[in-house]
Amino acid sequence: MKKKNIWVGLSLCLMLVASGCGSNNNAAVNTEKAANKPANATAAPADAGSKETYSIAISQYVEHPSLDATREGFMAALKDAGLIEGENLKVDLQNAQADQANNLSIAQKIAGDKNDLVLAIATPSAQSIVQKVDKDTPVLFAAVTDPLDARLVTDLEHPGGNVSGASDTNPEAITRLMQFIAAQFPKVKKLGLVINEGEPNAVVMAGIAKEELDKHGIELVKAAVTNTSEVKQAAESLVGRVDAFYITLDNSVVSAVDTIIQTANEKKLPFFSADRDTVEKGAFATVGFKYYDHGYQVGEMAVEVLKNGTSPGDMKVTMQEKLDLILNLKAAEAQGIEVTDAMKAEVVDQTNNIIQ
């Protein structure tokens, strides 16, 4: 991957943040939610007189909490808009289980079917779907780190064509987490990263993390994997060489994150992640949001496409803007971390983002 392309994409993302990109996004946890529905959700009401039915396909790269929550939020938005699976909505759900051959086969299958819309969850699935599906079929993506670098769209504000969606990252989230580590963990001089460098999203995020860590004199030490089965051994290989663990939104790694949590707890190494769901499972901290809300946001875009005939190409790509530090106090205890008042003070929504 060319570094120039990565930073062009990220620069455009940051410009869009400054100009209010995705201003309708409800990424932060909101205490006003009811039944796990984002507080600002304004789903279109169901048309009781309409008998129209819709067919959609979902290509998900692998099962893990963040991607599953994305799908659940997406389906919830459709349901709230009166599009109910088994009634007026047919859903073809396909999961590649992190196998690229399966991923390509799924894309080919979906391309051969007639669908009113296709949702691709995670970068590898989105890339395959965009390559295989004809240009007349609306395509939305979710859980994609850098849509420009992944060549899903060429313009975030005006995608054009038949593709749009939502990015699940904001460079500021990575930068803020690295700053938190540098400020609150002065003994961390080497940060261990388990990474599959075959995943573009992981490479992009690792690059952002490294740039910020370099400013603080912290070395990013990588342990490479090519698939989920290698994650445990990679984490263990970092023990004795690093002072803490970190992972990106790396599908291969997140799928086996329990093994990293186990190693972090056994060896008393602080574990930082790029997503809230991993923190809820047992990592100590992240700067992030709820993937359910991320999926709900894309679901609202799907409603616009299905019920109102809006073209994805006319819908800007959105990203997460409302970020917060999220801490897991039980994980802190397991990893030998003393959670200070200074750490807690950095959490804006302490009711929801300090996990007891």
Side-chain angles (χ1 to χ4, degrees):
M1 179 182 299
K2 295 182 180 179
K3 187 174 181 181
K4 179 180 178 182
N5 291 336
I6 293 173
W7 293 110
V8 168
L10 293 173
S11 297
L12 287 172
C13 286
L14 290 170
M15 290 173 63
L16 287 174
V17 171
S19 63
C21 170
S23 59
N24 289 326
N25 175 31
N26 183 38
V29 177
N30 194 322
T31 56
E32 296 176 7
K33 289 178 186 173
N36 210 24
K37 173 182 173 182
N40 68 347
T42 54
D47 183 354
S50 175
K51 295 183 179 179
E52 186 169 6
T53 60
Y54 303 89
S55 294
I56 68 171
I58 300 176
S59 176
Q60 181 173 324
Y61 187 61
V62 68
E63 287 181 316
H64 67 60
S66 295
L67 301 190
D68 292 345
T70 298
R71 187 187 70 249
E72 290 163 4
F74 176 85
M75 293 301 298
L78 297 186
K79 184 176 181 180
D80 288 345
L83 302 177
I84 302 172
E85 186 175 5
E87 294 184 13
N88 58 354
L89 180 67
K90 179 181 178 182
V91 180
D92 177 18
L93 173 61
Q94 300 287 330
N95 194 305
Q97 298 299 345
D99 185 295
Q100 186 58 20
N102 289 344
N103 186 45
L104 291 172
S105 295
I106 288 170
Q108 290 171 344
K109 175 190 180 300
I110 290 175
D113 298 334
K114 284 195 173 293
N115 290 290
D116 297 303
L117 180 140
V118 178
L119 170 69
I121 304 177
T123 301
S125 292
Q127 289 175 317
S128 295
I129 288 294
V130 169
Q131 289 171 6
K132 298 295 182 182
V133 171
D134 67 72
K135 304 306 179 184
D136 294 326
T137 302
V139 174
L140 296 176
F141 57 77
V144 170
T145 298
D146 189 340
L148 293 173
D149 186 72
R151 299 184 179 182
L152 301 176
V153 296
T154 56
D155 188 319
L156 298 175
E157 190 73 17
H158 305 286
N162 65 318
V163 181
S164 188
S167 170
D168 64 348
T169 193
N170 180 327
E172 182 186 349
I174 306 168
T175 299
R176 282 175 54 182
L177 181 59
M178 297 305 111
Q179 291 171 345
F180 173 77
I181 295 170
Q184 303 297 338
F185 292 82
K187 293 183 179 179
V188 173
K189 300 301 180 183
K190 294 185 178 183
L191 185 63
L193 172 67
V194 179
I195 181 171
N196 178 359
E197 294 188 294
E199 291 204 23
N201 53 312
V203 175
V204 170
M205 296 183 74
I208 300 170
K210 184 179 186 306
E211 182 176 2
E212 184 62 31
L213 291 172
D214 286 345
K215 297 176 183 178
H216 302 281
I218 300 174
E219 180 183 355
L220 187 65
V221 181
K222 297 179 182 179
V225 300
T226 59
N227 57 60
T228 297
S229 66
E230 298 173 354
V231 171
K232 184 176 188 295
Q233 183 177 355
E236 291 174 344
S237 75
L238 291 169
V239 175
R241 299 194 293 132
V242 301
D243 306 304
F245 288 141
Y246 168 64
I247 63 169
T248 67
L249 300 175
D250 185 326
N251 295 298
S252 300
V253 176
V254 175
S255 296
V257 74
D258 287 342
T259 63
I260 302 179
I261 294 171
Q262 180 181 2
T263 302
N265 292 349
E266 290 176 353
K267 303 301 180 181
K268 302 302 179 185
L269 292 171
F271 178 23
F272 304 92
S273 74
D275 67 293
R276 179 191 180 93
D277 295 292
T278 298
V279 171
E280 290 181 348
K281 291 191 73 173
F284 168 58
T286 191
V287 173
F289 55 92
K290 273 195 169 184
Y291 269 81
Y292 180 95
D293 295 349
H294 171 68
Y296 198 101
Q297 174 185 333
V298 181
E300 290 179 310
M301 296 175 73
V303 171
E304 283 295 314
V305 173
L306 295 172
K307 300 192 76 171
N308 299 327
T310 305
S311 170
D314 294 332
M315 307 170 79
K316 66 184 178 182
V317 176
T318 60
M319 69 167 59
Q320 308 306 313
E321 292 181 347
K322 295 181 180 179
L323 305 170
D324 197 5
L325 178 67
I326 303 163
L327 304 178
N328 184 328
L329 301 189
K330 289 184 178 179
E333 182 179 359
Q335 293 159 23
I337 301 168
E338 180 183 353
V339 180
T340 65
D341 290 340
M343 293 180 187
K344 293 180 180 178
E346 293 196 31
V347 182
V348 176
D349 183 359
Q350 296 192 8
T351 300
N352 290 290
N353 292 336
I354 295 181
I355 302 169
Q356 303 291 337

